[in-house]
Amino acid sequence: MLESSLKTAKILTQNKLSDRFLETKIYEPANPAEAIFGNTYLLVEVTTPWFPTAKITKLIRNTFLEEYYHASLNRQEFKRFEDGLKAVNKKLSDLAGAGQTEWIGNLNAIIATISAKKLYLSHTGTAEAYLFRQNKISHITEGEDNSRNAAPIQTFSALINGDLQFEDKLVFSNSEMYNFVSIDTLRNAIFQISPSGAIDEISHILFREKAN
């Protein structure tokens, strides 16, 4: 299984940011009953600091993981992924219906699952996903019609899926990173020996650019 050989790494800020909240989650199931459906990766950014951001990030994370790994009655990963997105959208719609709407237009997120050499991905807002395959770069989220002001029930409406190959490299990030790191610089960094080596290289670039 491809997911058993996946290597991951992530970059986070040391301190809280004044203008946004960003959380990442790598879920690699230990339970065999869950592991057959692959690994899940989430990135959630809310650019409204006064909104109870921890609540919405937890809502998205817990709702998707529960539906995808447990509640869905479908056996196919694609259908389970769809069910997970629908469950998240329903929760977000309920949240908006209860008057908590400050997050609308301020939510940037990626939900992705890798299972049996397949990638299933959905995003909202300006969150970015790139696939690096040998010398080619694919901007996975480019051109996706995903309005920041879509109705809450359609927050995660685009579903992207495709085959992965050995040594493919995926990068999920907020759009802010590309104010400091170019795509070519990112490509050079991720072809380091290991993900941790790439992270070190990108971190040094970010630190240097932010200091200027």
Side-chain angles (χ1 to χ4, degrees), residues 34-200:
E34 295 182 354
I36 60 173
F37 297 115
N39 300 338
T40 293
Y41 309 87
L42 297 101
L43 181 151
V44 182
E45 177 186 59
V46 185
T47 55
T48 307
W50 57 86
F51 185 74
T53 50
K55 179 177 180 179
I56 196 168
T57 56
K58 184 177 179 180
L59 180 148
I60 292 171
R61 179 184 70 241
N62 291 351
T63 301
F64 181 83
L65 293 178
E66 174 62 26
E67 183 68 29
Y68 181 78
Y69 288 103
H70 300 288
S72 176
L73 299 178
N74 285 298
R75 298 300 298 173
Q76 294 181 331
E77 288 90 344
F78 181 84
K79 292 294 185 182
R80 295 178 78 92
F81 195 86
E82 279 189 325
D83 289 345
L85 298 181
K86 290 177 182 177
V88 171
N89 287 340
K90 176 63 165 58
K91 290 283 189 179
L92 292 173
S93 182
D94 291 346
L95 195 66
Q100 298 187 44
T101 58
E102 294 91 342
W103 58 272
I104 297 175
N106 295 298
L107 175 64
N108 309 305
I110 287 174
I111 302 174
T113 294
I114 296 176
S115 179
K117 299 182 182 180
K118 285 278 190 179
L119 169 68
Y120 307 96
L121 182 147
S122 185
H123 79 112
T124 190
T126 62
E128 301 277 17
Y130 283 89
L131 168 67
F132 295 81
R133 175 173 293 167
Q134 297 177 359
N135 292 321
K136 296 181 179 179
I137 305 172
S138 297
H139 189 183
I140 300 173
T141 50
E142 182 180 26
E144 289 297 320
D145 184 13
N146 199 347
S147 172
R148 291 171 63 90
N149 297 309
I153 196 67
Q154 297 177 326
T155 301
F156 292 95
S157 56
L159 200 169
I160 303 163
N161 69 94
D163 295 326
L164 293 176
Q165 297 178 9
F166 187 69
E167 293 190 352
D168 278 353
K169 295 173 175 62
L170 291 162
V171 176
F172 304 147
S173 72
N174 65 349
S175 60
E176 182 77 6
M177 186 178 79
Y178 298 101
N179 292 332
F180 305 97
V181 180
S182 70
I183 297 300
D184 284 338
T185 299
L186 180 63
R187 173 172 54 186
N188 293 335
I190 68 168
F191 282 102
Q192 300 290 325
I193 294 174
S194 67
S196 60
I199 290 300
D200 287 343

